[in-house]
Amino acid sequence: MEYHKHYQLKELNSFRTEAYAKIFCSPTNIDELRKCLEEYPSEKKLIIGGGCNIFFTKNFDGLVIKPEFFGLHEASSEEDEDVYIEAMASEDWDSFVAYTVERKFCGLENLSLIPGTVGAAPVQNIGAYGAEVKDCIREVVAMDIHTGEVISFANNECEFSYRNSIFKQRNKYIILSVVFHLKRKFSYRPKYVDLNRELESIEDPTIEEVREAVIRVRKRKLPSEKELPNAGSFFKNPYITTDQAKKLSKDYPDLPVYPYKDGWVKTSAAFLIDKAGYKGKRVGDIGTYPNQPLIIVNYGSSDGNKIVSFMEEIKSVVKQKFSIELEPEVRIC
Ligand code: EPU
C-alpha cells in the first residue's frame, strides 16, 4: 500500500473543494488498514467514504484514509422470510440498493439514489421518503482507530437517531461492513406525500416500481453531484417547541410540522430557507438549488470557505426571521 504525501482531495469530496492531505492512503483489506494506523499512531486521522457529506476549507494536517473494501455476503435460504446480507463498507450505496431490489429483498427501496457508500449509511443514519437505514441494520462491524480492535455493534448499540449515530458522535471507529436485515415480503406502506403522489396510478406497487418512483422524485428535486457539485441536504431539519410552532403557524399556516416528542416537533429547513427568500439564491459561485433550497450547490468555486460564508448567511437570515438555529448536516473539515 502506498502512502501519498501532500495529496489533493478535490476529487474525493462531492463539493469539489480543494485541499491537500498531509498523508493519504487507500487500504484494501483489514490488515492494510491496521498497518496504516500503526504506521502513523500520532497523526490526526480522517476516514473518507464517497465524500458526499463532507467538504474542506483548509488542508488536512494528518492522515486521510479512504478504505477500498468491497464484497457482499448473503446468508439466507430461499425459504427464509428474513434475509441477511453483509456489505463491505466501500460498496456504492445505490448499486447495493439496486442489487437488493433486483432480488426482491425489501427494506432499502425508499433509500434509492442516495449518493455515497454503504459504510457511510449508518454514520448519519441516512433517511428519505419515510424510511431510515437503521430499520434495516442488524449490526455494524467497525475497527477502533486507536486499538485496531474489530468490534461488532448490534443495532441497539449504534445509538441511532435522526441523522446521527455513535459513529458520528465519536470519531473513533472505522466502519468495515454493515449487516442488513431485509425481508422477502413486500407491501408498499404509504408514508410520504411526494412518493404517494408519484405512485397514485399504480394500485399495488411492486418493489421495483417504488424504487423507480423514488428515483424519479429525487431526480426532479435534487441535482446530481456529478453534474453540479453538492453534498445533498446541507442542513438538518430543526426541532422546535410546539409553542413556537403554534406561533409561527399564525404567519405561516403551511409550516410543515412532524411529531417528535412531548412538547417538540420537527419542522422543515427547506421551508424556512424558502420563506427567508433564499430559494435559488446565488452569491458568486455558491447558491441554493432552485428546486430544493436545502441543497447548497457549488457552481465553480474551489474554496470551501465560500460555502461556509454562504451557509452563515442562510443561518443568520433564518435566525433573524424565525428565531430558529439551523445546524449543518454536512461535515466541514
Ligand atoms: N419545501 C419548501 N420549499 C421547497 C422545498 C421544500 O417549502 O422548495 C418544504 C415543503 O413544505 C416540504 C418540506 O419542505 O413538504 C420538506 O421538503 P422535502 O420533502 O423535499 O424534504 P426535506 O425535509 O427537505 C428530507 C431529507 C432528504 C430526503 C427528503 C425526502 C433531511 C435533512 N433531508 O429533506 O435527504 O431526501 O427528506 O425524504 O432530513 C439528504 O440527506 O441528503 C437528503 C436529500
Side-chain angles (χ1 to χ4, degrees):
M1 179 183 45
E2 249 184 285
Y3 295 103
H4 304 267
K5 304 280 159 71
H6 196 62
Y7 190 84
Q8 174 61 266
L9 298 169
K10 184 176 180 182
E11 295 306 317
L12 298 187
N13 73 98
S14 62
F15 255 130
R16 301 280 177 266
T17 62
E18 285 191 26
Y20 289 89
K22 184 169 149 195
I23 315 156
F24 173 84
C25 67
S26 272
T28 56
N29 56 52
I30 293 181
D31 290 337
E32 284 187 355
L33 174 63
R34 205 174 266 128
K35 213 169 132 210
C36 80
L37 296 174
E38 283 165 6
E39 186 95 10
Y40 294 103
S42 51
E43 291 291 352
K44 245 188 358 180
K45 294 176 189 74
L46 174 71
I47 317 302
I48 200 158
C52 299
N53 208 46
I54 188 169
F55 68 95
F56 299 93
T57 56
K58 53 181 181 302
N59 291 343
F60 186 79
D61 184 26
L63 173 65
V64 174
I65 303 171
K66 182 172 165 51
E68 302 278 0
F69 299 159
F70 296 99
L72 301 176
H73 314 279
E74 205 180 301
S76 73
S77 66
E78 296 268 323
E79 311 83 65
D80 293 342
E81 210 187 281
D82 300 279
V83 182
Y84 298 99
I85 308 182
E86 180 175 22
M88 299 304 287
S90 312
E91 289 288 340
D92 173 65
W93 174 257
D94 189 54
S95 308
F96 174 61
V97 174
Y99 170 95
T100 63
V101 168
E102 263 163 43
R103 280 156 189 77
K104 301 196 190 328
F105 298 160
C106 313
L108 301 176
E109 55 285 350
N110 286 23
L111 306 178
S112 290
L113 210 68
I114 294 183
T117 57
V118 164
V123 176
Q124 61 153 349
N125 182 24
I126 57 170
Y129 311 107
E132 281 187 314
V133 75
K134 72 171 171 58
D135 296 326
C136 292
I137 288 180
R138 180 187 166 99
E139 66 187 53
V140 176
V141 183
M143 184 183 281
D144 184 312
I145 270 191
H146 305 294
T147 63
E149 187 192 355
V150 174
I151 307 164
S152 183
F153 293 82
N155 183 302
N156 63 357
E157 293 168 328
C158 297
E159 297 175 22
F160 287 125
S161 59
Y162 170 64
R163 290 298 196 268
N164 213 343
S165 72
I166 192 170
F167 311 105
K168 187 161 179 179
Q169 290 155 38
R170 297 193 215 151
N171 192 14
K172 189 177 166 210
Y173 303 108
I174 305 176
I175 294 179
L176 307 174
S177 68
V178 181
V179 182
F180 293 90
H181 178 180
L182 306 174
K183 298 272 180 194
R184 282 188 201 271
K185 213 165 163 187
F186 179 72
S187 65
Y188 176 63
R189 266 174 271 136
K191 274 195 201 152
Y192 195 89
V193 73
D194 273 11
L195 192 57
N196 297 343
R197 214 175 286 139
E198 193 67 28
L199 287 163
E200 226 164 37
S201 58
I202 307 173
E203 192 165 324
D204 201 1
T206 63
I207 182 170
E208 290 89 349
E209 284 166 335
V210 172
R211 172 169 162 82
E212 283 156 19
V214 168
I215 290 176
R216 282 197 302 276
V217 174
R218 284 189 82 87
K219 282 194 169 158
R220 268 205 303 272
K221 286 179 85 172
L222 311 173
S224 148
E225 42 103 1
K226 290 189 185 85
E227 284 145 32
L228 205 49
N230 75 86
S233 294
F234 196 95
F235 297 101
K236 292 185 192 176
N237 285 326
Y239 296 111
I240 57 176
T241 62
T242 31
D243 285 348
Q244 194 178 3
K246 259 185 224 145
K247 274 186 214 141
L248 279 173
S249 300
K250 285 191 188 124
D251 291 330
Y252 301 96
D254 51 346
L255 179 84
V257 284
Y258 311 100
Y260 174 48
K261 61 179 183 189
D262 216 19
W264 291 83
V265 292
K266 191 161 79 172
T267 186
S268 157
F271 180 91
L272 303 173
I273 298 169
D274 188 351
K275 293 295 176 272
Y278 269 68
K279 180 169 178 166
K281 168 122 178 163
R282 188 166 162 174
V283 176
D285 277 333
I286 312 297
T288 50
Y289 191 58
N291 299 350
Q292 169 51 294
L294 193 53
I295 315 271
I296 293 184
V297 290
N298 179 1
Y299 291 100
S301 176
S302 50
D303 182 0
N305 294 298
K306 300 235 168 84
I307 300 170
V308 174
S309 310
F310 187 64
M311 165 192 90
E312 295 295 353
E313 194 175 317
I314 293 179
K315 282 182 67 166
S316 136
V317 290
V318 166
K319 178 85 194 277
Q320 227 169 18
K321 202 170 166 75
F322 302 103
S323 302
I324 294 175
E325 195 84 50
L326 289 183
E327 201 191 311
E329 192 220 87
V330 175
R331 179 157 176 203
I332 304 169
C333 269

